[in-house]
Amino acid sequence: MNGPFDFTLALGDDALIAAQRLAEWTTRAPEMEEDIALANIALDQLGAARLLLSYAGELEGAGRDEDALAYLRDDRQFRNVLLVELPNGDFAVTMAKLFFLAAYQLPLYTALAGCRDERLAAIGAKARKESAYHLDHGALWVKRLGDGTEESHRRMQAAVDQIWPYTHELFAADPAAPVDPATLRSAFDETVDAVLAEATLTRPESRWAPAGGRTGVHTEHLAYLLAEMQVLHRAHPGAKW
Amino acid sequence: MYGNDFSAPDDATGGGLLGEVEAAEAELRAAAARQRRGGPAPDEDLAAYFTAVVDAEQKIEPRDWMPDAYRKTLIRQIAQHAHSEIIGMQPEGNWISRAPSLKRKAILLAKVQDEAGHGLYLYAAAETLGISRDELVRLLLDGRQKYSSIFNYPTLTWADMGAIGWLVDGAAIVNQVPLCRCSYGPYARAMIRVCKEESFHQRQGYEILHTLSHGTPEQQAMAQDAVDRWWYPSLAMFGPPDGNSTHSAQSMAWKIKRFSNDDLRQRFVDMCVQQAEILGLRIPDEDLRWNEERQAYDYTQPDYDELMRVISGDGPCNRERIARRRAAHAEGAWVREAAAAYAAKRAGQKEKVAA
């Protein structure tokens, strides 16, 4: 990554794609309370995405606003990590994604709140409170499912096994960035180890570490997500909504 | 919460209805402050006491004696209302992923979330009458209780988000504002909160249509098409004409219902005509005109045969709506079981620690 624009754009894309996936659960959650909770988290992510993308547009100085960045880029120009674009799967997979993402975003936003860029610091200060709630929520479900029934344990372990490889990309070193993601790894490991242990789950040994999101080389899933998200906006060039 | 961050235009509507909700709230507080006379005397007839409380515009509360039919009517009505909120999430949820701007996406997501909140709030109000949410959800899934038929129509374009807000939420508010004065306390209080949020949703819908009708020719056409499709189903939301309405008379006497279906429908039409003019959209009714004598608009009635078909299950989306709800319930069963098993284990551990 290169400079505050790329960094801000990458964080904004993480939040936007996470919001888009979480919102897919609306009307489909296992409990009505959970429908509300997932929508709430999606709204938090969307709110952070809007702040980050708006700021990225300003940093770039080419006149692109949040909507131009969200709706008028193709998948090769998106900079989100692969983890957020993966399909929702069952509820266990969604909770694995949510838990790992929050365990990364909480130390990230906390560090950002203390960075020198005032705008990023303000966004970090706001978003870290929300991430703390997302982490609580995700961790609670990982524990419930891990230490619930035989079936839920099996599903939750499978979800952890499936998602875990994608967590490595979150911590790719970038010493020039306002917050170097590599510095967040130990806080993440500490959180994850404690929760997985309590949930009677094991951390997979897999050394496979898929990556490429930060340079715009994504999974096959992202283009479909964007096709749906962007279809209406692109069908009416220049229209106001 | 992020999302509800637009300023409504100055001519946004809903203010009049919101004023009525606030008046009902003040009335409710005043009634609570007056306090009811003490409970019934030991030898007093419970039915007479119930009638006296209702006639005095006081509220019946969960622990009070009430006629069985009153309880049943309320359970049916409140449950139907709760189911409508939950099923009503689907037609609008259909456009969250494709909302044309991030701001609109946030507003729509927050709105659908509000509907889930209303559903839970109303199920809780129904539970004060001695039935559980699980039982009510079962009745919905088995097709033994209804939800508002309007949600069996499809949302085909983005403009439908505007038309649902303006017309469907508008009709819902006209229906619900009098319920803020309902004789059953928990329902009246729930309705005050729900109506306040609904009037906000109605303004959001109006604002979507306003933006579209002042946009490109394609956007204007999209807005008019949505109004054309949603107008008559919205009129049908007030139910069959008064002569054919089965529950009305008794509900009026119990002060659950305050105005007839036709009176509310008329009120809604009169309200919309002026708003449509400001929007620059046409209400699809050739016979819509002001009647000086009645001091109200003459209008074409909706197709009540169609309403009956949709109520009986043959609307465009009845099958899909209920299938989605059943699928969410069935696919979530293992999650709910896990949560229960986990909670039981925790409770067991706490007992051990305490022992």
Side-chain angles (χ1 to χ4, degrees):
Chain A
M1 274 190 280
N2 184 21
F5 166 70
D6 287 339
F7 177 82
T8 308
L9 186 67
L11 266 49
D13 286 349
D14 284 351
L16 176 60
I17 304 303
Q20 184 76 4
R21 282 292 187 221
L22 284 167
E24 290 173 15
W25 274 99
T26 305
T27 74
R28 292 180 163 88
E31 293 178 338
M32 291 176 203
E33 284 80 359
E34 192 57 24
D35 220 297
I36 294 178
L38 292 175
N40 219 5
I41 297 170
L43 275 167
D44 286 344
Q45 294 285 3
L46 185 53
R50 294 181 62 193
L51 294 172
L52 287 160
L53 292 179
S54 296
Y55 185 44
E58 289 173 40
L59 289 169
E60 185 189 40
R64 290 201 281 183
D65 63 8
E66 59 178 38
D67 286 338
L69 287 169
Y71 289 95
L72 300 176
R73 282 181 300 152
D74 294 330
D75 59 303
R76 297 278 284 108
Q77 282 127 27
F78 269 77
R79 293 291 177 263
N80 57 280
V81 290
L82 305 182
L83 182 140
V84 294
E85 73 199 41
L86 297 175
N88 282 337
D90 67 5
F91 188 69
V93 171
T94 293
M95 285 304 114
K97 288 176 63 183
L98 173 66
F99 171 59
F100 291 140
L101 181 67
Y104 151 78
Q105 283 183 328
L106 179 58
L108 169 69
Y109 287 136
T110 303
L112 204 59
C115 83
R116 254 184 257 165
D117 184 314
E118 279 180 22
R119 287 282 292 282
L120 286 177
I123 295 170
K126 180 172 167 50
R128 75 173 166 188
K129 294 176 202 149
E130 296 162 353
S131 292
Y133 159 70
H134 306 166
L135 183 58
D136 269 355
H137 193 75
L140 181 58
W141 273 114
V142 169
K143 288 187 261 182
R144 278 175 178 158
L145 299 180
D147 194 17
T149 62
E150 212 170 297
E151 184 187 7
S152 71
H153 178 84
R154 177 182 59 74
R155 286 183 186 245
M156 194 65 234
Q157 184 65 59
V160 168
D161 292 349
Q162 183 195 330
I163 301 302
W164 178 256
Y166 293 91
T167 59
H168 303 300
E169 186 187 14
L170 303 170
F171 306 101
D174 183 9
V179 172
D180 180 355
T183 62
L184 308 171
R185 178 94 219 194
S186 60
F188 173 86
D189 284 340
E190 207 176 304
T191 306
V192 167
D193 287 347
V195 171
L196 291 185
E198 205 185 322
T200 69
L201 297 166
T202 51
R203 197 163 118 169
E205 292 300 323
S206 164
R207 267 175 295 173
W208 183 48
R214 295 293 190 220
T215 53
V217 181
H218 291 275
T219 66
E220 291 173 345
H221 306 292
L222 183 64
Y224 288 99
L225 179 151
L226 294 179
E228 183 176 341
M229 186 177 87
Q230 298 174 338
V231 60
L232 177 59
H233 185 98
R234 290 196 182 203
H236 299 266
K240 299 266 178 288
W241 301 95
Chain B
M1 192 189 300
Y2 294 108
N4 299 321
D5 54 358
F6 69 92
S7 58
D10 291 341
D11 56 9
T13 53
L17 288 170
L18 193 56
E20 287 185 38
V21 176
E22 278 159 5
E25 189 177 18
E27 220 176 79
L28 198 64
R29 286 182 205 283
R34 282 202 304 277
Q35 294 192 336
R36 300 189 320 200
R37 68 186 180 95
D43 56 347
E44 190 175 357
D45 176 20
L46 289 170
Y49 178 77
F50 169 86
T51 306
V53 170
V54 170
D55 287 349
E57 295 288 334
Q58 296 287 11
K59 300 298 168 199
I60 299 296
E61 296 297 340
R63 271 180 250 171
D64 293 336
W65 181 89
M66 60 188 85
D68 268 352
Y70 177 85
R71 187 184 298 274
K72 278 190 190 138
T73 297
L74 277 169
I75 288 176
R76 181 183 55 81
Q77 184 170 335
I78 300 173
Q80 205 159 286
H81 191 166
H83 301 329
S84 300
E85 297 282 357
I86 297 301
I87 298 287
M89 296 166 68
Q90 290 184 36
E92 290 177 284
N94 182 38
W95 280 90
I96 292 171
S97 67
R98 293 173 292 171
S101 72
L102 296 186
K103 185 177 92 175
R104 291 289 176 206
K105 189 191 289 290
I107 292 170
L108 184 60
L109 188 49
K111 183 188 172 185
V112 174
Q113 188 195 30
D114 279 351
E115 285 160 5
H118 293 171
L120 290 185
Y121 200 55
L122 286 160
Y123 282 127
E127 285 187 319
T128 65
L129 291 159
I131 190 162
S132 73
R133 183 172 111 191
D134 287 348
E135 289 173 84
L136 294 172
V137 168
R138 180 42 58 200
L139 290 169
L140 169 68
L141 296 181
D142 291 347
R144 288 159 61 205
Q145 277 185 341
K146 303 284 186 200
Y147 54 88
S148 180
S149 283
I150 192 78
F151 302 118
N152 291 315
Y153 289 87
T155 52
L156 302 178
T157 72
W158 170 253
D160 290 17
M161 299 304 99
I164 287 183
W166 178 44
L167 295 174
V168 175
D169 291 335
I173 297 169
V174 169
N175 242 332
Q176 289 165 17
V177 160
L179 294 175
C180 296
R181 294 188 161 90
C182 167
S183 59
Y184 188 59
Y187 193 29
R189 290 188 286 273
M191 289 322 300
I192 284 174
R193 177 165 146 187
V194 168
C195 281
K196 282 183 181 174
E197 291 184 9
E198 291 290 355
S199 65
F200 195 61
H201 295 163
Q202 198 242 2
R203 268 168 41 158
Q204 290 170 346
Y206 181 88
E207 211 250 352
I208 287 175
L209 285 182
H210 194 270
T211 305
L212 293 176
S213 67
H214 293 78
T216 65
E218 290 80 10
Q219 286 177 308
Q220 287 166 29
M222 195 191 284
Q224 184 61 55
D225 168 62
V227 171
D228 290 349
R229 282 182 290 110
W230 289 95
W231 173 253
Y232 287 105
S234 299
L235 291 188
M237 282 176 71
F238 295 94
D242 294 346
N244 306 348
S245 182
T246 41
H247 304 293
S248 285
Q250 180 61 73
S251 288
M252 293 267 225
W254 279 330
K255 296 189 180 171
I256 294 174
K257 198 178 166 89
R258 301 262 174 175
F259 301 97
S260 77
N261 293 352
D262 287 334
D263 286 349
L264 291 169
R265 192 168 8 245
Q266 180 72 57
R267 197 170 168 187
F268 175 68
V269 170
D270 292 346
M271 189 181 91
C272 287
V273 172
Q274 194 196 0
Q275 294 172 3
E277 272 171 33
I278 303 169
L279 284 171
L281 294 170
R282 201 181 60 83
I283 289 175
D285 182 355
E286 295 296 339
D287 298 322
L288 184 72
R289 61 179 57 84
W290 179 250
N291 183 325
E292 190 60 39
E293 205 177 307
R294 289 201 306 120
Q295 286 294 300
Y297 284 89
D298 291 338
Y299 63 97
T300 304
Q301 293 289 320
D303 179 349
Y304 293 110
D305 291 338
E306 175 180 318
L307 174 65
M308 290 309 147
R309 278 197 303 278
V310 180
I311 288 179
S312 67
D314 287 341
C317 301
N318 297 56
R319 286 160 178 78
E320 285 175 57
R321 299 290 186 243
I322 208 71
R324 165 82 65 89
R325 202 62 242 136
R326 283 183 189 146
H329 193 76
E331 284 160 24
W334 70 272
V335 176
R336 296 191 299 275
E337 282 159 21
Y342 179 81
K345 283 185 202 179
R346 296 296 107 169
Q349 281 170 4
K350 268 185 201 153
E351 270 173 33
K352 268 186 214 154
V353 172

